[in-house]
Amino acid sequence: MLKVHRDICGYCGCCVSVCPEGALELIDAYLSVEKNCTNCGVCAKVCPLGALEVVDEE
Amino acid sequence: MKSKYDMLVIGGGPAGALAGKTAAEKGLSALIVEKRPAIGAPVRCAEGIGKEALCEFIDPDPRWISAEMTGATIVAPDGFVMKLGSEMAGSKVGYVLDRKIFDRELVWKAAEAGCDVTVKSRAAAPILEDGAVKGAKIEHAGKTTDVRADVVIAADGVESKFSRWCGIDTTVPVREIMSSVQYVMTDIDIDEQSTVFYLGNEVAPEGYLWVFPKGKRSANVGIGISGKKSGEGHRAKDYLDRFVKKTFPEGKTIEYIPGGVSVCRPLANTAADGLLITGDAARVVDPLTGGGIYNAMYTGRLAAEVAAVCIGKGDVSRKALMMYDRSWRESKLGKSIERNYLIKEYVIKLPDTKLNEIIHSVSNINMKEFSTINLIKEIIRVNPKLVLELGVLAASLR
């Protein structure tokens, strides 16, 4: 699953623009992740701050 | 906020503000919906704009101009410096804005013209009927209201979702998102009248690092790197921190700004039934410079002009609204985006040795009209070999 490190996230929306599924949305200062996320990790790669991480399901 | 407008504008940045203002001036009822609690904040921008570009829309006002530029400096990968200025030495060529105040001014002008504005209000979904956009569901303070409109303008920025919900793919390719970070720094030694661009694969792979003066001993110090080159341990922030530690070790950071800038081609389609897409949401950022303020204002204004005509004729179908798409593509702006896209594709593939060679060929350029294209023309003039490498593209640059 995609983990948002909210202490690192600067809510800029860079990740939202590259998500091929449209699974991310920036709502003011909160990044939301929808169920259609496929854990592809594209967002985690482009994040300028390193706030996103694909982690194993707990 | 009413439940029906002629035009509904999603987003209160420069594109949305110009759309709202133009609509109101054309006698349309219009509403600007901004999801953030404040217009203009947080800033997601290096804030640079050319003098002519700005003056096409608004007279410069010291209230929202942080600094006036008389030139630009390009630093090659090996440290060699190229100075760009005006033929009229010392004359203004551009500005670094204070977007927090600038954006407010633009929205204020829209409001003054008669446009409604609502903040901390989010377009949560489009209202779609038979495939046509008829408005949006607006969330504000825990309540959702249907706001209907003849035409909706998507001006919702790089993180745009609205047009995607209407069935238009807005995904930016990974290699064409500039993963960016900027610090507003104070107490640093800078040339207060010149923007500085640092190039090179060590400094900013497939992008550049900038120092844009914001006034006395203060500047926007930022970087954009290709999303393709970004990853754990080598993100935009890592590159910027390294530069700042070396160049401005005593500087203080008073603002921390991450961001994403698209440098892809514009959306293949910026009109649909009842919908027009503008600014960063339409991916009309200049792919070479990453500049988007002018392009946003231009497309925002044009979208409202076309919408006003179509609403007047009672036809807001995609076919009628396509006038907008055709107009901006055929404009000077549209042509410059396409040309700069091709130049960008060439430049990002250059190894540092080649970049050094090109920058070494000219140490000083004083241009009659200060612009990216005139810089490129001059570089080609003194490097005739480039004509062969650029092929068809070079012909359009003569």
Side-chain angles (χ1 to χ4, degrees), chain B residues 344-362:
Chain B
K344 182 265 295 187
E345 286 295 285
Y346 171 77
V347 173
I348 59 169
K349 292 182 186 86
L350 294 177
D352 282 359
T353 47
K354 182 81 185 177
L355 267 176
N356 287 332
E357 198 185 301
I358 291 174
I359 298 171
H360 279 237
S361 67
V362 230

Side-chain angles (χ1 to χ4, degrees), chain B residues 102-318:
Chain B
F102 178 72
D103 286 27
R104 284 180 186 217
E105 177 71 11
L106 294 183
V107 169
W108 165 239
K109 286 198 181 301
E112 202 178 29
C115 180
D116 273 359
V117 182
T118 175
V119 295
K120 201 165 167 58
S121 301
R122 164 181 171 252
I127 298 170
L128 291 166
E129 286 171 10
D130 302 324
V133 181
K134 299 282 186 186
K137 293 192 175 299
I138 306 298
E139 281 180 8
H140 173 75
K143 270 203 306 211
T144 304
T145 313
D146 279 13
V147 175
R148 298 181 67 87
D150 294 333
V151 174
V152 176
I153 309 273
D156 46 347
V158 68
E159 77 264 33
S160 162
K161 291 301 292 260
F162 198 82
S163 14
R164 186 186 271 270
W165 293 332
C166 300
I168 294 165
D169 185 9
T170 57
T171 313
V172 176
V174 172
R175 73 174 194 94
E176 296 192 311
I177 190 76
M178 285 291 118
S179 177
S180 310
V181 186
Q182 171 174 277
Y183 301 151
V184 182
M185 297 194 71
T186 62
D187 205 12
I188 53 176
D189 283 323
I190 49 158
D191 176 348
E192 284 161 17
Q193 292 189 314
S194 177
T195 49
V196 188
F197 302 79
Y198 292 82
L199 305 181
N201 287 300
E202 300 291 318
V203 184
E206 296 193 12
Y208 64 85
L209 189 149
W210 64 85
V211 177
F212 285 6
K214 287 278 282 178
K216 205 172 182 322
R217 294 182 62 73
S218 171
N220 288 334
V221 182
I223 187 173
I225 67 169
S226 163
K228 188 178 83 183
K229 300 284 184 179
S230 168
E232 201 49 43
H234 50 97
R235 297 185 186 277
K237 185 178 184 300
D238 300 314
Y239 283 95
L240 185 61
D241 285 341
R242 202 187 309 156
F243 175 85
V244 163
K245 200 176 164 190
K246 193 178 81 189
T247 315
F248 302 124
E250 304 298 322
K252 282 96 183 167
T253 297
I254 59 164
E255 199 167 332
Y256 178 89
I257 303 170
V261 181
S262 69
V263 293
C264 51
R265 281 203 168 97
L267 296 183
N269 194 343
T270 57
D273 290 327
L275 176 73
L276 291 172
I277 312 167
T278 61
D280 282 14
R283 314 306 185 206
V284 294
V285 172
D286 183 321
L288 185 60
T289 65
I293 304 170
Y294 173 82
N295 300 9
M297 292 194 290
Y298 186 94
T299 50
R301 180 176 66 186
L302 181 66
E305 285 168 353
V306 171
V309 171
C310 294
I311 291 168
K313 288 182 180 164
D315 180 5
V316 294
S317 67
R318 173 172 182 271

